[in-house]
Amino acid sequence: MRPVYQQIAARAAADPDAPAVVAATGSLTYGELNARANRLAHALRARGVGPEVPVALLTPRDPAGLIAALAVAKAGGCYLPLDPAYPEERLRYSVADSGARVLLATAPLLAAVSTLGETCRATLLLDRDQGEIARGNAADPVPTAGPEHLAYVIYTSGSTGKPKGVEVAHRGLANLVAWHLRIYNLGPGDRTTRLAGAGF
């Protein structure tokens, strides 16, 4: 089964004008979503992101966060979602424990967790570095992450008092998406909501 990021790229190629994301801050077609994620993916690859490389995401619950997660997958890495509502100590621990090399964030969220950027080798701010990202290549990067590679890492509350990382491969994510499509009979005309937190 193809990883979800490849399924999205295929959908963008087949029907680029179809709506992909609708939010209070704006909407994106599949073509726009794919092109923006591609530009960011190329910027991530330039910073050393590839298969099994964790990228921490400190992004708002808006289309920018979805673009960031998709871009990490397209770059070949796995994303580590960070909830800005969590205590700074927990966020720092998760980033350090995961070995995340790159942090994708927005300036306001990073300002609230000021020491987080020190844990990673590189920080890319989605709002401040828009110019560099926008000038990037909009073509799909050559896929480097297959079904067996990690798609994302989330940290549970942990029974020992320290959060524990849970690794999810692209195969597992693709199976989950296929299950949702089959069980709920979802098609191109349907919409779903994003209720769960990014780190859940």
Side-chain angles (χ1 to χ4, degrees), residues 58-113:
L58 187 64
T59 55
R61 289 175 59 89
D62 66 10
L66 296 174
I67 291 167
L70 180 57
V72 172
K74 284 172 165 285
C78 60
Y79 70 88
L80 166 67
L82 301 174
D83 189 332
Y86 285 171
E88 187 169 346
E89 181 181 352
R90 178 189 167 111
L91 297 179
R92 280 199 315 269
Y93 173 83
S94 299
V95 170
D97 187 66
S98 72
R101 298 180 187 176
V102 178
L103 171 65
L104 279 180
T106 60
L109 289 179
L110 186 58
V113 192

Side-chain angles (χ1 to χ4, degrees), residues 33-48:
L33 172 65
N34 196 58
R36 291 187 190 184
N38 286 344
R39 290 185 179 101
L40 182 53
H42 286 291
L44 290 170
R45 281 210 176 153
R47 287 164 172 80

Side-chain angles (χ1 to χ4, degrees), residues 78-175:
C78 60
Y79 70 88
L80 166 67
L82 301 174
D83 189 332
Y86 285 171
E88 187 169 346
E89 181 181 352
R90 178 189 167 111
L91 297 179
R92 280 199 315 269
Y93 173 83
S94 299
V95 170
D97 187 66
S98 72
R101 298 180 187 176
V102 178
L103 171 65
L104 279 180
T106 60
L109 289 179
L110 186 58
V113 192
S114 56
T115 62
L116 197 56
E118 300 167 6
T119 314
C120 299
R121 290 186 202 165
T123 299
L124 189 60
L125 294 179
L126 299 174
D127 40 6
R128 186 197 69 192
D129 299 321
Q130 277 182 354
E132 175 196 345
I133 297 166
R135 289 188 300 273
N137 187 348
D140 286 307
V142 175
T144 57
E148 70 284 359
H149 290 107
L150 292 180
Y152 62 91
V153 178
I154 56 173
Y155 275 77
T156 67
S157 56
S159 57
T160 62
K162 283 195 178 284
K164 292 188 175 85
V166 177
E167 300 174 331
V168 179
H170 282 284
R171 178 178 283 110
L173 179 58
N175 285 335

